[in-house]
């Protein structure tokens, strides 16, 4: 009984010393909300409690040395103009033991979390990692992974990962790396982003940017959106290996709705691609677009096409599924007794 009483008293004293404050933050949908959060001081070695949701705020400039362990669902708010620096010269940075680690910013997004590690397995890790705002800088000299989780989701903020072998990693087949917005730079010696599940690139605001030096895993541009590079090349849908190589080390920004529509694999074709309502090929440009999408990796499996007019080509024709390209057409093409003339292959 005495031991239990001492334990309760100790827990009460520790709780009393933890300062709390009401603080605002910007959630994943861009809405301002508020919550009561524990003020971080830089002396913490662990955050959170198994099976619970806890909130913390960085509202002064603080520094921490060594690894920080997190338990349960841990939420950290980076107050505008304030910075938390976590450094570990012999190990990991923030290590989540289950649950979700979520980092929020405030209205101006000027709060900063900087994680510096040396010879570590990872700099930031949790079962799930979600970044909604603020500025996150991850530097990991001789470090395996910058940000690691079953899934990693970036909804906003400025996220920079460098000096690591793999920048961002989703380490299970059911997981994903999802970028919904923000300015994201992931540079790794091996891969910028690696996912055993999926990699989805998207955007929320016109100012959003993505730069990744290489991708390991399938890459898809978020449904209904497109990204473009500085040369005006537009990417949408599931990217081919050729397209993945083309966007490596290139800054991508949101494309306009008109650019997205023009880049769709069926943009200029009427019809829905079914056997009863096939895509209509009516001109040389339609046929060229079909060729280009196939040669970039769109196989049109189970899709139907119908040529509805005679087509005259000019210049040299690059074949569909040409010998220098491993991609093939897997749809059904009905010529409907129409002609293709002027076909010249050098």
């Amino acid at each position: 009984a005495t031991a239990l009483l001492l334990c309760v008293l100790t827990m009460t004293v520790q709780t009393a010393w933890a300062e709390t404050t009401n603080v605002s933050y910007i959630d994943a949908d861009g809405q301002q909300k508020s919550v009561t959060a524990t003020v971080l001081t830089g002396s913490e070695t662990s955050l959170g409690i198994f099976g619970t949701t806890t909130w913390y705020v960085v509202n002064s400039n603080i520094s921490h040395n060594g690894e920080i362990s997190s338990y349960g669902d841990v939420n950290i708010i980076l107050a505008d103009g304030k910075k938390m620096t976590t450094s570990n010269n012999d190990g990991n940075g923030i290590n989540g033991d289950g649950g979700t680690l979520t980092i929020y910013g405030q209205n101006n997004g000027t709060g900063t979390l900087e994680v510096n590690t040396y010879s570590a397995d990872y700099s930031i890790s949790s079962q799930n990692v979600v970044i909604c705002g603020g500025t996150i800088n991850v530097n990991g000299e001789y470090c395996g992974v910058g940000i690691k989780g079953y899934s990693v989701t970036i909804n906003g903020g400025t996220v920079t990962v460098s000096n690591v072998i793999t920048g961002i990693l989703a380490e299970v087949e059911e997981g994903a790396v999802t970028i919904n917005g923000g300015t994201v730079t992931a540079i790794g010696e091996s891969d910028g982003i690696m996912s055993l599940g999926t990699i989805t690139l998207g955007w929320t605001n016109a100012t959003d940017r993505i730069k990744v030096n290489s991708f390991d895993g399938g890459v898809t541009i978020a449904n209904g959106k497109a990204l473009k590079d500085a040369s005006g090349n537009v990417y949408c849908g599931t990217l081919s290996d050729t397209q993945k190589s083309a966007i490596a080390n290139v800054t991508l920004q949101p494309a306009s709705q008109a650019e997205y529509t023009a880049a769709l694999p069926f943009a200029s074709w009427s019809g829905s691609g079914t056997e009863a309502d096939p895509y209509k090929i009516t001109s040389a440009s339609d046929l060229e677009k079909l060729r280009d999408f196939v040669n970039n990796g769109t196989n049109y499996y189970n899709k139907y096409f119908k040529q509805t007019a005679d087509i005259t080509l000019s210049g040299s024709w690059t074949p569909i599924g040409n010998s220098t390209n491993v991609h093939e057409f897997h749809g059904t093409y009905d010529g409907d007794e129409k002609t293709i003339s002027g076909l010249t292959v050098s």
Side-chain angles (χ1 to χ4, degrees), residues 288 312-318 341-346:
E288 289 166 356
T312 302
L313 301 174
S314 62
S316 181
W317 172 260
T318 300
S341 59
L343 181 64
T344 302
V345 179
S346 55

Side-chain angles (χ1 to χ4, degrees), residues 5 10 16 70 72-73 80 91 93 96 115 128 170 185 187 221 225 251 261 271 325 336:
L5 177 60
T10 301
S70 69
D73 294 333
D80 281 336
V115 181
N128 303 294
T185 303
I187 308 297
I221 307 302
K225 297 182 178 180
T251 298
T261 301
N325 201 302
D336 196 32

Side-chain angles (χ1 to χ4, degrees), residues 113-141:
L113 171 63
E114 183 170 307
V115 181
N116 303 306
T117 55
Y118 180 88
S119 189
D121 294 328
Y122 45 80
S123 296
I124 297 176
S125 174
S126 191
Q127 181 169 326
N128 303 294
V129 178
V130 180
I131 298 174
C132 296
T135 298
I136 316 299
N137 296 322
V138 177
N139 305 288
E141 189 174 356

Side-chain angles (χ1 to χ4, degrees), residues 125 167 269 310:
S125 174
W269 306 324
D310 295 337

